[in-house]
Amino acid sequence: MATQVSTAKLNGIDTEQLRQTMDAVSANPESGIARFAVNTSWKGGTQSETRVDGWQLGGKQLPRQFTISIDEPPELLGTNAAANPQEYLLAAANACMMATYVAACSMQNIELESVQIETSGELDLRGFLGIDKNVKPGYDEVETTVRIKGNGTREQFERVHEWVMKTSPNYWNLANPIRMVPR
């Protein structure tokens, strides 16, 4: 059976295709199981390179080819050749929330003019450096500010914001503990 893809888009989102995807996953939950994986190699000093070689959706392997370079600033012994892991972490959270805001607004027929997300967090290097065992190596909190402009009402944007906080995977990943399984 051929699937007809709609050419109508709002904010760059094909809302009909999104509805079809939602219906398909609702009817067959296994088709909505997504698995992402990366492979990171050390490149010397604080530099690393992460490869994305594909992903899985509904048990099917799908091709993707990307390389992500990572480094630290000179003050943290790096060469400043790329963003550092913390910047990628915050960027990944922002990008995931951004995609969710745009999709949610599009599904509510809200035409967007702009969306900006600013995220920051503060680390105490005494935790990372192992200087003080009472200091955690990670964030106590991450602050996020969203600025969104479009033809939606304040109430519509508040509903979209609530939806994003409930459904954005990377917002959830930062806001809730994740079990890490080291081997």
Side-chain angles (χ1 to χ4, degrees), residues 114-135:
S114 64
V115 184
Q116 183 179 26
I117 303 173
E118 298 170 12
T119 301
S120 64
E122 191 172 275
L123 295 173
D124 186 334
L125 292 180
R126 294 177 299 162
F128 166 69
L129 297 171
I131 294 170
D132 186 337
K133 65 179 180 181
N134 297 314
V135 176

Side-chain angles (χ1 to χ4, degrees), residues 46-110:
T46 62
Q47 292 186 18
S48 63
E49 185 175 276
T50 299
R51 283 190 346 269
V52 175
D53 291 322
W55 72 299
Q56 291 180 13
L57 180 61
K60 294 179 187 175
Q61 185 68 29
L62 300 167
R64 286 174 62 83
Q65 295 289 318
F66 297 101
T67 300
I68 303 166
S69 296
I70 300 171
D71 195 8
E72 293 284 355
E75 297 80 5
L76 295 177
L77 308 174
T79 62
N80 215 29
N84 79 359
Q86 297 312 306
E87 293 157 337
Y88 274 106
L89 175 70
L90 299 178
N94 282 6
C96 187
M97 288 188 294
M98 181 73 70
T100 310
Y101 274 107
V102 174
C105 283
S106 299
M107 294 301 284
Q108 296 299 314
N109 206 30
I110 298 170

Side-chain angles (χ1 to χ4, degrees), residues 4-172:
Q4 183 176 349
V5 177
S6 168
T7 57
K9 292 185 178 185
L10 180 58
N11 305 315
I13 301 294
D14 184 331
T15 56
E16 183 56 36
Q17 184 178 0
L18 180 53
R19 280 186 187 89
Q20 289 174 8
T21 299
M22 292 168 70
D23 291 345
V25 171
S26 187
N28 180 10
E30 294 83 22
S31 71
I33 302 298
R35 180 173 183 80
F36 297 92
V38 297
N39 185 324
T40 303
S41 300
W42 177 52
K43 295 299 180 183
T46 62
Q47 292 186 18
S48 63
E49 185 175 276
T50 299
R51 283 190 346 269
V52 175
D53 291 322
W55 72 299
Q56 291 180 13
L57 180 61
K60 294 179 187 175
Q61 185 68 29
L62 300 167
R64 286 174 62 83
Q65 295 289 318
F66 297 101
T67 300
I68 303 166
S69 296
I70 300 171
D71 195 8
E72 293 284 355
E75 297 80 5
L76 295 177
L77 308 174
T79 62
N80 215 29
N84 79 359
Q86 297 312 306
E87 293 157 337
Y88 274 106
L89 175 70
L90 299 178
N94 282 6
C96 187
M97 288 188 294
M98 181 73 70
T100 310
Y101 274 107
V102 174
C105 283
S106 299
M107 294 301 284
Q108 296 299 314
N109 206 30
I110 298 170
E111 188 172 348
L112 293 169
E113 292 177 40
S114 64
V115 184
Q116 183 179 26
I117 303 173
E118 298 170 12
T119 301
S120 64
E122 191 172 275
L123 295 173
D124 186 334
L125 292 180
R126 294 177 299 162
F128 166 69
L129 297 171
I131 294 170
D132 186 337
K133 65 179 180 181
N134 297 314
V135 176
K136 70 171 82 170
Y139 297 108
D140 283 320
E141 67 181 25
V142 172
E143 299 171 355
T144 299
T145 302
V146 178
R147 291 180 179 81
I148 190 165
K149 185 177 181 184
N151 68 357
T153 65
R154 181 173 187 81
E155 292 76 24
Q156 285 177 305
F157 283 128
E158 286 173 359
R159 282 194 303 274
V160 165
H161 179 72
E162 289 172 15
W163 179 257
V164 171
M165 300 303 103
K166 287 184 204 174
T167 64
S168 168
N170 281 354
Y171 177 86
W172 192 95

